[in-house]
Amino acid sequence: MARGIDAVTRTAGAGAIALALVLLLTLGTLAAVAVRAESAGGFGVADWAALRFTLIQATLSAALSVVLAVPIGRAFARRRFPGRSLLVMLLGAPFILPVIVAVFGLISVFGRSGIVSQALLALGFEPISIYGFHGVVLAHVFFNLPLATRLVLQGWLAIPAERFRLAASLGMTSRDISRHLERPMLREVVPGAFLVIFLLCLTSFAVALALGGGPRATTIELAIYQAFRLDFDLGKAALLALVQFVLGAAVALIALKVALPSGFGSGLDRAVMRWDANSPVLRALDAALIALATLFLVLPMAMIAVDGIPALTSLPPSVFAATLRSLGVAMASVVLSISLALPIAAWAVKSRSRLVEAIGTLTIAASPLVIGTGLFILIFPVADPFAFALPVTALVNAVMSLPFALRALVPALGQIEADFGRLADGLGMSGWARFRLVWLPRLRRPLGFSAGLAAALSMGDLGVIALFASPDTPTLPLQLYRLLSAYRMDDAAGAALVLLAASLAVFWVFDRGGRVNADA
């Protein structure tokens, strides 16, 4: 008993340190900006319009992403075919794409001169416009549908194969399996997926900036940027950031309250075989869903490749130097993100407190622009903030990717402790031995997925580095932005392709490493 108490105490101590750092980087930097501001002012008409637009587009984008992800995730879960692993990997591609690169691909497909509009013109219809409310929602679904599908797919793969074997022996139909196995899993997974995507859309900046089409399509994050960049009104920026943070906190608490454990128990880690979906109709339906989802997600990326390949041979050396800096920042971000996520997840599971997970998840509701500005204010009196551009970028990126790591690690670690925790306590396993022998073999998939997301998101970050970077040390996204600003479109297309390839590569290395010898 004493050994178990000591283990909980050590876990709580490490988790508390990690959470304290997270709170310092979110609420602490927000407080620094608020203190530095001269006055907060009040909400104007434009601010209320930005709030309404943010809530409407975030709710609709998250709902569409999750609703579409459920049948697509089920199709991938119950089908085995050549190239399935590659398609599962590609599901993460749009979400990890740098926004500026992905928007370019979407415009190439859905813009007025894109493939879809040209096809409509050939058929005698008017071309579509990707700008405005529907363009923002379309872009958010493009970015977040793959993430929702991966989260739902992990939920399906977490159902022990023995449950499906038992269902087959009892003669259950597809409808019975949906009622007794799939719906309880979705009740556990869907609220968390909706939460993460809603908060991503809540803090949307680059999508609204590129596709919003005017003041009527302004998000809170874009309003924060305008308060900083155009007016240097720190008080208004701090007020908007506080409102955004409170909204995120409220949605997080609601989602955590709605989510319920599925209670499937443990299995023998066998591959899941689905006997309930062998009818021709279900096979055709699953094939159509997988094909349509693949076309929707891959076509914009293919257009990026078509435009970028001819420019690769003439890229300036600055692009490759910026690529190396981005890779270094990404690796540092992975280490920091996992170092924060594991102790927080362990504390949340050991204490059985959803508040711990909620606090860690709320970092996604914070504004990266506010965090960057707050760190600038804190560093400036003691050192040159520009000298810390790359370390600060890695730290902020790690914190912003923390919610995705927790969403993947906490349910998996909770199941591990429920299945093997008492046995490990009885054998006196704690610390490194428990991590190496009990946790790590069963956390490979979520750890690899979390590390891949952290690396890829860091590769494509353009927010914090724009506040800190000196002219001589840009990362690849910032270098791409500078090429676009200088209207060097050929070089920009080549740099976009390099950034796309690098983001996919770092994600694949970590995600594949986590899925080695695993049924994913």
Side-chain angles (χ1 to χ4, degrees):
M1 178 67 70
R3 186 183 293 114
I5 295 175
D6 290 341
V8 173
T9 302
R10 289 193 297 270
T11 300
I17 294 173
L19 274 186
L21 179 59
V22 169
L23 291 175
L24 174 64
L25 290 171
T26 51
L27 296 180
T29 53
L30 176 60
V33 174
V35 170
R36 174 65 174 77
E38 295 180 358
S39 62
F43 254 43
V45 176
D47 300 319
W48 285 112
L51 177 60
R52 286 193 298 270
F53 179 82
T54 299
L55 291 176
I56 293 173
Q57 64 85 18
T59 301
L60 182 58
S61 299
L64 285 174
S65 298
V66 172
V67 168
L68 293 174
V70 170
I72 296 172
R74 180 174 57 187
F76 273 102
R78 62 189 185 185
R79 300 301 169 197
R80 297 293 184 272
F81 52 88
R84 176 180 178 273
S85 297
L86 177 61
L87 282 181
V88 170
M89 187 274 291
L90 287 176
L91 282 177
F95 178 74
I96 64 179
L97 279 180
V99 175
I100 192 171
V101 175
V103 167
F104 178 79
L106 286 172
I107 292 174
S108 298
V109 176
F110 299 102
R112 295 188 64 87
S113 300
I115 297 175
V116 174
S117 291
Q118 293 302 313
L120 291 174
L121 283 173
L123 296 174
F125 297 99
E126 289 293 323
I128 61 176
S129 173
I130 196 175
Y131 299 99
F133 174 79
H134 55 281
V136 172
V137 173
L138 173 66
H140 282 156
V141 173
F142 174 79
F143 282 116
N144 298 310
L145 175 60
L147 174 64
T149 302
R150 284 296 301 264
L151 292 174
V152 171
L153 177 58
Q154 286 187 10
W156 250 291
L157 295 174
I159 301 177
E162 288 73 21
R163 302 298 180 271
F164 290 103
R165 292 173 181 268
L166 178 60
S169 66
L170 294 175
M172 286 188 176
T173 63
S174 179
R175 181 176 299 179
D176 295 329
I177 289 178
S178 175
R179 176 184 178 185
H180 295 288
L181 294 181
E182 295 177 334
R183 290 180 190 173
M185 178 275 296
L186 292 174
R187 181 68 183 274
E188 180 184 20
V189 173
V190 164
F194 180 89
L195 161 68
V196 170
I197 295 171
F198 180 90
L199 292 178
L200 283 171
C201 299
L202 186 72
T203 57
S204 176
F205 166 65
V207 169
L209 181 65
L211 299 176
R216 292 195 300 177
T218 298
T219 61
I220 295 179
E221 186 77 359
L222 184 55
I224 293 172
Y225 170 79
Q226 292 169 347
F228 275 139
R229 189 77 173 180
L230 303 181
D231 305 324
F232 199 67
D233 188 347
L234 296 181
K236 175 60 69 66
L239 178 61
L240 290 168
L242 181 60
V243 170
Q244 179 174 281
F245 197 89
V246 170
L247 285 174
V251 174
L253 292 176
I254 293 173
L256 290 171
K257 197 73 175 178
V258 171
L260 293 177
S262 56
F264 288 124
S266 61
L268 299 177
D269 297 329
R270 295 174 177 171
V272 176
M273 302 298 294
R274 298 293 299 268
W275 294 275
D276 59 299
N278 286 327
S279 68
V281 174
L282 292 179
R283 285 182 177 274
L285 177 61
D286 287 348
L289 287 170
I290 292 173
L292 289 175
T294 302
L295 184 64
F296 174 67
L297 300 175
V298 172
L299 190 56
M301 291 186 287
M303 295 304 298
I304 297 171
V306 169
D307 293 334
I309 288 177
L312 288 179
T313 57
S314 59
L315 283 177
S318 58
V319 171
F320 299 103
T323 303
L324 293 178
R325 292 189 198 97
S326 291
L327 288 172
V329 170
M331 296 305 102
S333 181
V334 168
V335 174
L336 291 170
S337 179
I338 298 301
S339 298
L340 290 172
L342 275 176
I344 293 175
W347 188 20
V349 171
K350 282 290 187 180
S351 63
R352 299 181 181 178
S353 171
R354 291 197 168 187
L355 179 62
V356 174
E357 180 186 356
I359 294 174
T361 302
L362 283 179
T363 59
I364 199 175
S367 168
L369 297 176
V370 173
I371 294 177
T373 304
L375 288 173
F376 185 97
I377 293 172
L378 293 174
I379 294 174
F380 184 76
V382 296
D384 180 11
F386 298 103
F388 293 89
L390 299 183
V392 166
T393 300
L395 179 60
V396 175
N397 288 339
V399 173
M400 300 309 294
S401 65
L402 183 60
F404 311 116
L406 290 177
R407 195 60 243 163
L409 290 175
V410 170
L413 188 55
Q415 191 64 54
I416 292 170
E417 284 296 306
D419 296 340
F420 305 103
R422 289 187 178 181
L423 177 60
D425 289 338
L427 295 174
M429 296 178 63
S430 62
W432 173 249
R434 194 185 191 106
F435 173 78
R436 182 173 60 88
L437 299 176
V438 181
W439 290 3
L440 187 57
R442 295 165 180 84
L443 284 179
R444 287 180 304 167
R445 186 187 295 141
L447 273 176
F449 181 59
S450 302
L453 279 180
L457 292 176
S458 183
M459 281 291 303
D461 174 68
L462 183 57
V464 178
I465 191 64
L467 297 174
F468 280 87
S470 65
D472 298 329
T473 59
T475 58
L476 186 53
L478 183 56
Q479 182 65 25
L480 171 58
Y481 177 77
R482 291 175 177 175
L483 291 172
L484 288 171
S485 300
Y487 296 99
R488 297 170 58 181
M489 303 309 295
D490 290 340
D491 289 340
L497 182 57
V498 172
L499 183 52
L500 170 62
S503 299
L504 291 178
V506 294
F507 177 80
W508 180 84
V509 168
F510 286 107
D511 187 48
R512 180 61 181 171
R515 294 190 290 114
V516 170
N517 298 325
D519 180 37

